[in-house]
Amino acid sequence: SPAPKLVFNRVNGKRCPTSGITDTREEEHTPAHEQNVRFVYEAWQQVEEALGANQQLENGLCAQGPVQYVEKMPNQNLKNFVPIDLEEWWAKQFLANIQNSP
């Protein structure tokens, strides 16, 4: 089983100061930002639903809709590629900074 992830939760919805720098601003999202995020999220949900519906079709029949790209001949240079978990990487960096700070 994979190692447990470190999760950093905000206390009372506020950011914790890091490296002696205090940021008193809260993240502010404009209505336009919220609308953009909602649009992208809903559009992606529609794509995932359509992909799922296409995968359920039998005998290779293909409905109109999105098609998932799959490489026919994968690049051999990427054979051993392992994607990193950025959240975990940042958590490790954060802990290393805490441990190395005076």
Side-chain angles (χ1 to χ4, degrees):
S1 79
K5 283 187 176 185
L6 295 172
V7 178
F8 295 95
N9 294 320
R10 293 181 180 183
V11 178
N12 297 328
K14 296 183 180 177
R15 288 185 177 204
C16 297
T18 56
S19 307
I21 300 171
T22 1
D23 187 3
T24 56
R25 300 178 288 151
E26 283 294 318
E27 287 185 32
E28 295 179 19
H29 299 294
T30 64
H33 172 80
E34 296 289 336
Q35 184 178 8
N36 289 340
V37 170
R38 192 175 313 109
F39 171 78
V40 170
Y41 175 80
E42 290 171 358
W44 185 247
Q45 293 304 312
Q46 291 175 357
V47 169
E48 285 188 327
E49 288 174 18
L51 278 173
N54 280 350
Q55 290 175 351
Q56 292 178 357
L57 291 175
E58 297 178 25
N59 300 329
L61 297 175
C62 186
Q64 291 181 349
V67 176
Q68 186 170 1
Y69 174 78
V70 178
E71 287 191 61
K72 292 182 177 131
M73 295 189 59
N75 185 337
Q76 291 300 311
N77 294 332
L78 298 175
K79 174 174 59 175
N80 297 322
F81 174 77
V82 178
I84 67 166
D85 182 340
L86 284 177
E87 242 180 70
E88 183 180 347
W89 185 84
W90 279 112
K92 287 179 181 178
Q93 294 297 312
F94 180 76
L95 288 176
N97 285 340
I98 290 174
Q99 292 171 347
N100 295 332
S101 66

